[in-house]
Amino acid sequence: MIIRILGEGQYRAPDTILEDLNAIDNRIVELVEKGDREGFRNELLRMVSLIRERCEPLDATEITESDLILPPPDLTFEEARGIFRGQGLIED
């Protein structure tokens, strides 16, 4: 699975990471619905950190279609309202 973090690059991720990412994604949706800005920020950074720690970065010259595209870690809360809603980024 290939994951892109906007503004940063792509990572080759093991399929086993998807369950952890989905759990964080669902929490972010809940936090955004509640208007919890600090909780949202913490979980978004946790999601990005998880990818950086457990996935292999791809070379910037390698062009590969992404299976999942994550927003940049500096996403604003207002922007998040348009992204993290319903099922979020990852369908359950």
Side-chain angles (χ1 to χ4, degrees):
M1 158 182 256
I2 303 298
I3 300 174
R4 172 177 292 281
I5 300 173
L6 289 176
E8 184 169 316
Q10 290 181 298
Y11 293 82
R12 186 175 316 282
D15 290 339
T16 55
I17 199 171
L18 192 57
E19 186 174 324
D20 293 336
L21 290 175
N22 192 32
I24 296 170
D25 181 46
N26 289 337
R27 274 196 296 278
I28 292 174
V29 169
E30 291 174 13
L31 293 165
V32 169
E33 287 176 355
K34 292 178 183 175
D36 184 343
R37 292 174 182 264
E38 184 176 339
F40 149 73
R41 174 69 45 216
N42 290 337
E43 288 300 308
L44 179 60
L45 293 176
R46 189 167 153 237
M47 179 182 267
V48 170
S49 293
L50 182 68
I51 293 168
R52 290 175 180 157
E53 292 169 8
R54 291 181 43 192
C55 302
E56 173 191 349
L58 296 183
D59 189 285
T61 61
E62 187 175 344
I63 299 173
T64 305
E65 185 175 347
S66 300
D67 300 297
L68 177 63
I69 300 174
L70 299 183
D74 62 350
L75 182 76
T76 68
F77 187 78
E78 288 70 26
E79 292 170 327
R81 286 184 169 154
I83 296 171
F84 291 100
R85 59 184 180 177
Q87 292 193 19
L89 298 174
I90 304 166
E91 291 187 25
D92 293 325

